[in-house]
Amino acid sequence: MTTKDIVNYLEKKKTPFELLEHKEVYTAKEAAKVAKAKEEEIIKALILKAGGKKFIMVVLPANLAAKIKKVKSFLKVKELVLATEAEMKKATGLKPGSAPALGKLLKLKTIAEKKVEKNKNIIFPAGDYTKSIKIKTKDWFTLEKPEVLEFSVVPSTKKKSKKKK
């Protein structure tokens, strides 16, 4: 999967978008800075493995963390884990952190965090670390038709203290 594949898909679906080219970025903070956007507009797509074999995509603002247990309960599966780097590459053909929030294109069931709806626009990777897609949130929801669920939390910044024996 390349940026060109992603662009062709969006054009074929007649979905308006903007392709942003920028320096290589690996974090939401860096992506927000180069895109001149708020951190919550940067969207990450996590690839999860359900029941040991089926892959799904969960999409959420990059400044939040996913509560996997909530998604697991929603899906009614016994096991739900983050895909390994090798599994993600097998499921999407992409490196971690470069997958677009386009589950339909990748033939993956997509679940969106409800907080994504609060943004006017969202920005997500376009298949590599130097290109991103900016799209109106309503257009993304129309295209993807994801199931919507509240499953995120603000990540803890506290360091876990080690208990003394």
mmCIF file of all heavy atoms in Angstrom, residues 48 50-51 56 58 67-81 111 149 151:
data_model
loop_
_atom_site.group_PDB
_atom_site.id
_atom_site.type_symbol
_atom_site.label_atom_id
_atom_site.label_comp_id
_atom_site.label_asym_id
_atom_site.label_seq_id
_atom_site.Cartn_x
_atom_site.Cartn_y
_atom_site.Cartn_z
ATOM 1 N N LEU A 48 -5.748 -4.130 15.753
ATOM 2 C CA LEU A 48 -5.906 -5.092 16.841
ATOM 3 C C LEU A 48 -6.219 -6.460 16.258
ATOM 4 O O LEU A 48 -6.798 -6.555 15.169
ATOM 5 C CB LEU A 48 -7.047 -4.664 17.770
ATOM 6 C CG LEU A 48 -6.947 -3.259 18.376
ATOM 7 C CD1 LEU A 48 -8.175 -2.972 19.228
ATOM 8 C CD2 LEU A 48 -5.683 -3.096 19.189
ATOM 9 N N ALA A 50 -8.280 -9.835 16.957
ATOM 10 C CA ALA A 50 -9.379 -10.385 17.751
ATOM 11 C C ALA A 50 -9.410 -11.896 17.623
ATOM 12 O O ALA A 50 -9.297 -12.433 16.521
ATOM 13 C CB ALA A 50 -10.706 -9.792 17.279
ATOM 14 N N GLY A 51 -9.567 -12.563 18.763
ATOM 15 C CA GLY A 51 -9.705 -14.016 18.744
ATOM 16 C C GLY A 51 -8.531 -14.747 18.138
ATOM 17 O O GLY A 51 -8.692 -15.848 17.617
ATOM 18 N N ILE A 56 -8.815 -5.953 13.209
ATOM 19 C CA ILE A 56 -9.752 -4.831 13.147
ATOM 20 C C ILE A 56 -8.953 -3.550 13.337
ATOM 21 O O ILE A 56 -7.818 -3.582 13.821
ATOM 22 C CB ILE A 56 -10.870 -4.929 14.211
ATOM 23 C CG1 ILE A 56 -10.289 -4.819 15.614
ATOM 24 C CG2 ILE A 56 -11.701 -6.165 14.054
ATOM 25 C CD1 ILE A 56 -11.302 -4.344 16.619
ATOM 26 N N VAL A 58 -9.031 0.287 15.065
ATOM 27 C CA VAL A 58 -9.681 1.260 15.934
ATOM 28 C C VAL A 58 -9.017 2.601 15.665
ATOM 29 O O VAL A 58 -7.798 2.681 15.508
ATOM 30 C CB VAL A 58 -9.644 0.888 17.435
ATOM 31 C CG1 VAL A 58 -10.466 -0.361 17.708
ATOM 32 C CG2 VAL A 58 -8.254 0.742 17.969
ATOM 33 N N LYS A 67 -8.719 2.063 25.464
ATOM 34 C CA LYS A 67 -9.032 1.081 26.516
ATOM 35 C C LYS A 67 -9.459 -0.174 25.770
ATOM 36 O O LYS A 67 -10.610 -0.316 25.373
ATOM 37 C CB LYS A 67 -10.164 1.575 27.423
ATOM 38 C CG LYS A 67 -9.827 2.795 28.208
ATOM 39 C CD LYS A 67 -9.539 2.703 29.655
ATOM 40 C CE LYS A 67 -10.052 1.619 30.480
ATOM 41 N NZ LYS A 67 -9.510 1.631 31.831
ATOM 42 N N ILE A 68 -8.502 -1.050 25.543
ATOM 43 C CA ILE A 68 -8.726 -2.266 24.760
ATOM 44 C C ILE A 68 -9.858 -3.108 25.364
ATOM 45 O O ILE A 68 -10.646 -3.706 24.647
ATOM 46 C CB ILE A 68 -7.423 -3.094 24.640
ATOM 47 C CG1 ILE A 68 -6.289 -2.245 24.058
ATOM 48 C CG2 ILE A 68 -7.647 -4.371 23.834
ATOM 49 C CD1 ILE A 68 -6.317 -1.955 22.599
ATOM 50 N N LYS A 69 -9.953 -3.127 26.696
ATOM 51 C CA LYS A 69 -10.998 -3.916 27.359
ATOM 52 C C LYS A 69 -12.398 -3.471 26.930
ATOM 53 O O LYS A 69 -13.294 -4.296 26.796
ATOM 54 C CB LYS A 69 -10.874 -3.819 28.886
ATOM 55 C CG LYS A 69 -9.761 -4.651 29.450
ATOM 56 C CD LYS A 69 -9.730 -4.554 30.972
ATOM 57 C CE LYS A 69 -8.612 -5.400 31.538
ATOM 58 N NZ LYS A 69 -8.527 -5.295 32.998
ATOM 59 N N LYS A 70 -12.583 -2.160 26.728
ATOM 60 C CA LYS A 70 -13.901 -1.661 26.293
ATOM 61 C C LYS A 70 -14.225 -2.163 24.883
ATOM 62 O O LYS A 70 -15.347 -2.548 24.597
ATOM 63 C CB LYS A 70 -13.947 -0.134 26.334
ATOM 64 C CG LYS A 70 -14.184 0.429 27.699
ATOM 65 C CD LYS A 70 -14.542 1.899 27.610
ATOM 66 C CE LYS A 70 -15.007 2.380 28.965
ATOM 67 N NZ LYS A 70 -15.530 3.725 28.926
ATOM 68 N N VAL A 71 -13.239 -2.126 24.006
ATOM 69 C CA VAL A 71 -13.433 -2.603 22.629
ATOM 70 C C VAL A 71 -13.687 -4.112 22.649
ATOM 71 O O VAL A 71 -14.578 -4.603 21.949
ATOM 72 C CB VAL A 71 -12.225 -2.252 21.729
ATOM 73 C CG1 VAL A 71 -12.449 -2.753 20.308
ATOM 74 C CG2 VAL A 71 -11.968 -0.744 21.727
ATOM 75 N N LYS A 72 -12.939 -4.821 23.457
ATOM 76 C CA LYS A 72 -13.087 -6.274 23.584
ATOM 77 C C LYS A 72 -14.506 -6.626 24.030
ATOM 78 O O LYS A 72 -15.157 -7.505 23.450
ATOM 79 C CB LYS A 72 -12.061 -6.799 24.590
ATOM 80 C CG LYS A 72 -12.101 -8.287 24.834
ATOM 81 C CD LYS A 72 -11.043 -8.659 25.870
ATOM 82 C CE LYS A 72 -11.250 -10.076 26.330
ATOM 83 N NZ LYS A 72 -10.362 -10.433 27.425
ATOM 84 N N SER A 73 -15.003 -5.917 25.024
ATOM 85 C CA SER A 73 -16.359 -6.140 25.535
ATOM 86 C C SER A 73 -17.397 -5.832 24.450
ATOM 87 O O SER A 73 -18.346 -6.592 24.238
ATOM 88 C CB SER A 73 -16.585 -5.260 26.765
ATOM 89 O OG SER A 73 -17.908 -5.347 27.194
ATOM 90 N N PHE A 74 -17.196 -4.729 23.729
ATOM 91 C CA PHE A 74 -18.097 -4.328 22.655
ATOM 92 C C PHE A 74 -18.158 -5.388 21.557
ATOM 93 O O PHE A 74 -19.226 -5.720 21.046
ATOM 94 C CB PHE A 74 -17.639 -2.981 22.071
ATOM 95 C CG PHE A 74 -18.399 -2.528 20.859
ATOM 96 C CD1 PHE A 74 -19.681 -2.014 20.972
ATOM 97 C CD2 PHE A 74 -17.831 -2.609 19.595
ATOM 98 C CE1 PHE A 74 -20.387 -1.591 19.855
ATOM 99 C CE2 PHE A 74 -18.524 -2.189 18.469
ATOM 100 C CZ PHE A 74 -19.806 -1.679 18.604
ATOM 101 N N LEU A 75 -16.994 -5.934 21.214
ATOM 102 C CA LEU A 75 -16.913 -6.940 20.149
ATOM 103 C C LEU A 75 -17.332 -8.334 20.612
ATOM 104 O O LEU A 75 -17.531 -9.222 19.786
ATOM 105 C CB LEU A 75 -15.487 -7.009 19.581
ATOM 106 C CG LEU A 75 -15.008 -5.796 18.808
ATOM 107 C CD1 LEU A 75 -13.523 -5.921 18.496
ATOM 108 C CD2 LEU A 75 -15.817 -5.617 17.528
ATOM 109 N N LYS A 76 -17.417 -8.510 21.934
ATOM 110 C CA LYS A 76 -17.773 -9.815 22.518
ATOM 111 C C LYS A 76 -16.806 -10.909 22.063
ATOM 112 O O LYS A 76 -17.211 -11.957 21.581
ATOM 113 C CB LYS A 76 -19.226 -10.178 22.181
ATOM 114 C CG LYS A 76 -20.239 -9.221 22.779
ATOM 115 C CD LYS A 76 -21.650 -9.591 22.358
ATOM 116 C CE LYS A 76 -22.681 -8.695 22.972
ATOM 117 N NZ LYS A 76 -22.906 -7.433 22.362
ATOM 118 N N VAL A 77 -15.504 -10.609 22.191
ATOM 119 C CA VAL A 77 -14.481 -11.599 21.852
ATOM 120 C C VAL A 77 -13.716 -11.961 23.119
ATOM 121 O O VAL A 77 -13.661 -11.181 24.065
ATOM 122 C CB VAL A 77 -13.502 -11.088 20.760
ATOM 123 C CG1 VAL A 77 -14.217 -10.899 19.437
ATOM 124 C CG2 VAL A 77 -12.806 -9.801 21.176
ATOM 125 N N LYS A 78 -13.140 -13.159 23.129
ATOM 126 C CA LYS A 78 -12.395 -13.609 24.306
ATOM 127 C C LYS A 78 -11.019 -12.971 24.390
ATOM 128 O O LYS A 78 -10.491 -12.763 25.468
ATOM 129 C CB LYS A 78 -12.252 -15.136 24.293
ATOM 130 C CG LYS A 78 -13.548 -15.848 24.606
ATOM 131 C CD LYS A 78 -13.348 -17.341 24.686
ATOM 132 C CE LYS A 78 -14.663 -18.013 25.040
ATOM 133 N NZ LYS A 78 -14.548 -19.447 25.134
ATOM 134 N N GLU A 79 -10.441 -12.704 23.219
ATOM 135 C CA GLU A 79 -9.089 -12.147 23.186
ATOM 136 C C GLU A 79 -9.029 -10.982 22.203
ATOM 137 O O GLU A 79 -9.544 -11.079 21.093
ATOM 138 C CB GLU A 79 -8.087 -13.231 22.767
ATOM 139 C CG GLU A 79 -6.660 -12.749 22.759
ATOM 140 C CD GLU A 79 -5.686 -13.745 22.145
ATOM 141 O OE1 GLU A 79 -6.099 -14.535 21.267
ATOM 142 O OE2 GLU A 79 -4.516 -13.717 22.533
ATOM 143 N N LEU A 80 -8.403 -9.887 22.634
ATOM 144 C CA LEU A 80 -8.191 -8.734 21.767
ATOM 145 C C LEU A 80 -6.877 -8.096 22.180
ATOM 146 O O LEU A 80 -6.733 -7.643 23.312
ATOM 147 C CB LEU A 80 -9.337 -7.727 21.886
ATOM 148 C CG LEU A 80 -9.268 -6.533 20.920
ATOM 149 C CD1 LEU A 80 -9.463 -7.012 19.471
ATOM 150 C CD2 LEU A 80 -10.316 -5.494 21.266
ATOM 151 N N VAL A 81 -5.916 -8.113 21.267
ATOM 152 C CA VAL A 81 -4.590 -7.575 21.567
ATOM 153 C C VAL A 81 -4.117 -6.692 20.416
ATOM 154 O O VAL A 81 -4.581 -6.818 19.283
ATOM 155 C CB VAL A 81 -3.552 -8.708 21.813
ATOM 156 C CG1 VAL A 81 -3.910 -9.527 23.032
ATOM 157 C CG2 VAL A 81 -3.408 -9.603 20.580
ATOM 158 N N ILE A 111 -13.678 0.712 14.002
ATOM 159 C CA ILE A 111 -14.390 1.270 15.147
ATOM 160 C C ILE A 111 -13.748 2.613 15.455
ATOM 161 O O ILE A 111 -12.521 2.711 15.588
ATOM 162 C CB ILE A 111 -14.297 0.344 16.377
ATOM 163 C CG1 ILE A 111 -14.938 -1.012 16.047
ATOM 164 C CG2 ILE A 111 -14.968 0.992 17.589
ATOM 165 C CD1 ILE A 111 -14.751 -2.061 17.122
ATOM 166 N N LEU A 149 -17.875 4.198 19.284
ATOM 167 C CA LEU A 149 -17.836 3.713 20.649
ATOM 168 C C LEU A 149 -16.952 4.654 21.475
ATOM 169 O O LEU A 149 -16.023 5.244 20.933
ATOM 170 C CB LEU A 149 -17.220 2.305 20.640
ATOM 171 C CG LEU A 149 -16.961 1.571 21.933
ATOM 172 C CD1 LEU A 149 -18.277 1.205 22.605
ATOM 173 C CD2 LEU A 149 -16.154 0.311 21.659
ATOM 174 N N PHE A 151 -14.109 4.631 23.895
ATOM 175 C CA PHE A 151 -13.137 3.657 24.403
ATOM 176 C C PHE A 151 -11.770 4.254 24.694
ATOM 177 O O PHE A 151 -10.784 3.545 24.816
ATOM 178 C CB PHE A 151 -12.984 2.479 23.423
ATOM 179 C CG PHE A 151 -12.434 2.868 22.076
ATOM 180 C CD1 PHE A 151 -11.065 2.920 21.846
ATOM 181 C CD2 PHE A 151 -13.285 3.180 21.030
ATOM 182 C CE1 PHE A 151 -10.555 3.272 20.600
ATOM 183 C CE2 PHE A 151 -12.795 3.531 19.783
ATOM 184 C CZ PHE A 151 -11.417 3.576 19.573
#
